Amino acid sequence: MDITQLAFTYKQHPLRARLIDAVAWYDLTDLCTLLGRASLEDATAFVASAHPQRLCWLAGDADSSPWVDDDGLWSIVSLAGYRFTDDLAQWLHLVVAPEIRHAMYEQAPNGNTPEVRELWHVIDQLLDIGLVRDHGCGTERLAINLAETMLAALRRGLPLPSKARLNRLLAQSNTPAYLGRMRITHSQRQTLCLIFERV
């Protein structure tokens, strides 16, 4: 069993996480304290009644604190009354989620080289915050334009190689699998995109 321990801090409040076989789990006690609106008992009862598969007590946890998975975390955030635009929800989405995903890539490389995994770590962050458009949104394919991606990375100060090298590395991607190039029509304009299987 592969276990990775992670710890985050938001305004002096800790949030512990564990990645177990590429599945993220969050300490529910930490989460409730961080949110400050749902008691641990109410949060545990809510998840246990609605989505019991999203709640667990991890073996070897001395204080027997319950843990929730990604879906459970967002259920508790919603239960606490936070909207996606609130600072705390944005922190979970823009800081915690990318770090969790990066740890997943490290734990379960799925055939990609370290360089390709790092590229997807950066690109996924840009997709998450809406700086890169998924031209295949609503389909079974992920479609990105290299020029848009490089410009967005430059604006955010995220490292990407040259366009030619970026193209070569992404063509080696196994997860998501590279499918080739295609022109996508969006708003009466065609954009040349790299196409990948949506995972």
Side-chain angles (χ1 to χ4, degrees):
M1 180 184 296
D2 288 329
I3 300 177
T4 302
Q5 305 275 0
L6 297 152
F8 304 93
T9 304
Y10 179 82
K11 296 182 178 178
Q12 317 296 305
H13 294 290
L15 176 62
R16 287 169 289 177
R18 291 180 188 176
L19 199 64
I20 303 176
D21 293 334
V23 176
W25 294 91
Y26 304 87
D27 187 296
L28 189 53
T29 303
D30 288 354
L31 181 60
C32 288
T33 302
L34 181 66
L35 296 171
R37 294 183 190 171
S39 71
L40 176 61
E41 293 75 18
D42 288 346
T44 303
F46 172 75
V47 179
S49 63
H51 310 286
Q53 75 278 11
R54 296 177 182 170
L55 183 71
C56 76
W57 281 260
L58 300 179
D61 193 356
D63 60 5
S64 297
S65 176
W67 293 66
V68 290
D69 66 4
D70 269 312
D71 289 334
L73 176 140
W74 289 107
S75 293
I76 299 302
V77 170
S78 178
L79 175 68
Y82 283 88
R83 296 168 300 174
F84 185 73
T85 53
D86 291 335
D87 288 346
L88 180 53
Q90 288 287 297
W91 175 76
L92 289 168
H93 184 61
L94 301 179
V95 176
V96 174
E99 287 298 319
I100 292 289
R101 189 167 49 244
H102 179 70
M104 286 178 178
Y105 290 153
E106 292 301 312
Q107 198 178 86
N110 293 324
N112 283 344
T113 65
E115 282 183 299
V116 174
R117 292 201 305 272
E118 276 300 317
L119 283 180
W120 278 114
H121 177 56
V122 171
I123 292 168
D124 280 342
Q125 288 182 66
L126 295 170
L127 286 164
D128 277 348
I129 59 181
L131 287 182
V132 168
R133 176 183 297 147
D134 174 8
H135 292 272
C137 186
T139 73
E140 296 180 356
R141 301 289 182 255
L142 168 66
I144 60 171
N145 175 266
L146 283 185
E148 288 177 4
T149 303
M150 294 191 70
L151 181 58
L154 180 64
R155 287 175 175 160
R156 295 290 292 190
L158 298 173
L160 282 182
S162 68
K163 188 174 181 179
R165 180 166 172 72
L166 179 61
N167 186 71
R168 284 197 303 271
L169 287 171
L170 287 177
Q172 299 169 20
S173 178
N174 293 314
T175 306
Y178 175 67
L179 301 176
R181 293 167 169 255
M182 182 183 295
R183 290 196 176 273
I184 305 290
T185 303
H186 182 80
S187 299
Q188 300 181 339
R189 177 171 161 257
Q190 284 199 333
T191 304
L192 182 62
C193 295
L194 299 186
I195 310 298
F196 303 87
E197 283 185 356
R198 194 176 298 282
V199 292

